[in-house]
Amino acid sequence: MGKEMTGAEMVLQAMKDHGVKHIFGYPGGAALPIYDEIFQQDDIQHILVRHEQGAGHAAEGYARSSGKPGVVLVTSGPGATNMVTALTDAMMDSIPLVCITAQVPTHLIGSDGFQECDTVGITRPCTKYNWLVRDVNDLSRVLHDAFHVATTGRPGPVVVDIPKDVQFATGIYHTPDPAGRSSYQGYEPRMKGDENAIAHAVELMAHAKRPILYTGGGVINSGPEASQLLRELVAATGFPITSTLMGLGAYPASGKNWLGMLGMHGTYEANMAMHDCDVMVCIGARFDDRITGRTDAFSPGSKKIHVDIDPSSVNKNIRVDVPIIGDVTHVLKDMLAMWKARAPEPDLKAWWTQIETWKARHSLAYRANRDVIMPQYAIERLYQATKDRDTYITTEVGQHQMWAAQFYHFDAPNRWMTSGGLGTMGYGLPAALGVQVAHPDSLVVDIAGDASVLMTMQEMSTAVQHNLPIKIFILNNCYMGMVRQWQQLLHGNRLSNSYNESLPDFVKLAEAYGCVGLRADKPSELDGAIEEMIAVRRPVLFDCRVANLENCFPMIPSGKAHNEMILPAESDGAEEAFAGGKALV
């Protein structure tokens, strides 16, 4: 038998039943019945943000760093539409979010009532599933389904839209299914991979002369066991391994088989190995355009194996030879068992010799400077100061994001939170809030850009209110750095609206928020200032003044193949390479 409750009570009870401890949100008229229930309980903490987009990104950071779903509560109309960016970001990067949106009373739906919008229609393209609940007796079932859908299969965001009269109405609340099943019979993600397909993959791997493991965020989403199994597979096979931006940390950057990140700003050795391999094992990645470059020239001589839990991702961008639909953890278990049961390691000496030749190009080299802080150097010093601490890193989007991926070395999963698929400027600061809520005693650093960080700067007020000692480490070059870089290389150095002419004084801005403001102008000041930033148990804005016109290399020009990279030593001719379509490798 169920228990009689109001709709608003059901929302809180469902969250408790699903182990929710924190909600990120912003109140408004249509959501007030739920907020009234929040006031009357102490089991769940509400984190008041300053903008609904911030709530969504905070929930993403919470989810990505903890492995639990992030939960958001916003009001109708603009409250819901302000969530669209975060929902789309979570959809692109497979982050589990449960977003509760309030709606005008059912009798006003479709009347253009005050703060009404078609939330279900608007969010349908950017959610895994969404619901408009018109009957309070359906509410508990829908809420349980929402948590199940968000966290199983390929994770993603869901929306439950609840009219105000449904929040007030009384109905019967039913507890979640003990087995964790959904009421949707058609929704049953495939966990086990096909054994014949896995056996075929292992056979190809065993006869490979130039193999590579290409891994992505799906390894991390599958849970900590998947990362451990991946490490065991690398040890067993001796294969080189690379990763997408979203997969960093699944295999340790300190591992001897690590080639670094691949893709547009990946290392030379990773991209060349991807281009020249004869067997590619893609695990939990989706062959997106930042990885493949020119699809008709992508790794032309390789047999491709693709492990993914989402059938729609397989053969979507790149045709593969062995598709394996299933959860990464389950597939890696079977793959590893089959590998150990068959032949010894293949002889890869010639392949590793070639890889070492590519590594000798030192594709992440940069010019040192005693007088000006180079952005790469700033990341290196931050890494040295924080690598032995319990540290989580978020980023905004732009050059600083790529430098962070290149120079901050992750040895564990769930320590790296960044916006990959959507590339959302303003992601990192609120994401850091969510990470800090999930890990209150850890060091949380947002590696930011001066332009990107201003998009959600209001959330510093949230950090102060909730005593969240996040560190915002701003690589301040006074430009929208990646925009400027593309304008320089692709548009004749016509820097249209990419220079930030009226940046605030970040130290004074920090003080205005009640935070700590720090600044470093020279390399000699950097280490001391970083240590001071770490020591302060308060929110910090760190204004790190870096070289204004430094470009992020290596780089695969848009529309080029993996073997057409521009390396740092050749970057002086980059404009000509872009204009003339020639390779500089």
Side-chain angles (χ1 to χ4, degrees), residues 2 69 101 118 144 200 207 211 234 343-344 399 404 413 475 522 569:
T101 59
D118 178 8
H144 301 324
H200 185 193
H207 291 92
V234 173
Q399 287 180 317
L475 299 186
K522 295 184 179 300

Side-chain angles (χ1 to χ4, degrees), residues 14 70 131 161 170 174 227 234 240 243 394 418 436-438 464 508 557:
W131 298 261
D161 197 31
T170 301
H174 298 280
S227 294
V234 173
S243 168
T394 73
T418 195
Q436 193 77 79
V437 169
V464 172
K508 290 182 179 178

Side-chain angles (χ1 to χ4, degrees), residues 395-411:
T395 77
E396 308 297 332
V397 168
Q399 287 180 317
H400 62 275
Q401 177 190 30
M402 295 298 105
W403 283 316
Q406 292 171 342
F407 291 95
Y408 199 103
H409 309 295
F410 296 93
D411 278 352

Side-chain angles (χ1 to χ4, degrees), residues 128-246:
K128 193 174 174 184
Y129 204 85
N130 61 15
W131 298 261
L132 169 61
V133 184
R134 292 177 177 267
D135 185 340
V136 70
N137 289 300
D138 294 331
L139 184 54
S140 61
R141 172 186 58 80
V142 168
L143 290 166
H144 301 324
D145 285 345
F147 278 92
H148 180 74
V149 171
T151 56
T152 56
R154 179 181 175 180
V158 298
V159 164
V160 181
D161 197 31
I162 311 175
K164 191 170 185 179
D165 57 325
V166 174
Q167 298 170 44
F168 277 125
T170 301
I172 302 300
Y173 177 84
H174 298 280
T175 56
D177 179 83
R181 292 175 297 229
S182 166
S183 66
Y184 291 95
Q185 298 303 314
Y187 178 70
E188 293 183 8
R190 189 189 307 176
M191 303 300 284
K192 292 278 290 182
D194 180 80
E195 287 189 9
N196 290 329
I198 297 172
H200 185 193
V202 169
E203 193 66 21
L204 285 175
M205 292 161 64
H207 291 92
K209 300 297 183 186
R210 303 184 308 280
I212 191 166
L213 294 170
Y214 152 40
T215 60
V219 180
I220 294 171
N221 287 341
S222 186
E225 188 178 2
S227 294
Q228 182 56 41
L229 289 166
L230 177 65
R231 294 162 193 231
E232 291 178 26
L233 182 67
V234 173
T237 60
F239 287 6
I241 180 170
T242 183
S243 168
T244 66
L245 181 75
M246 298 303 294

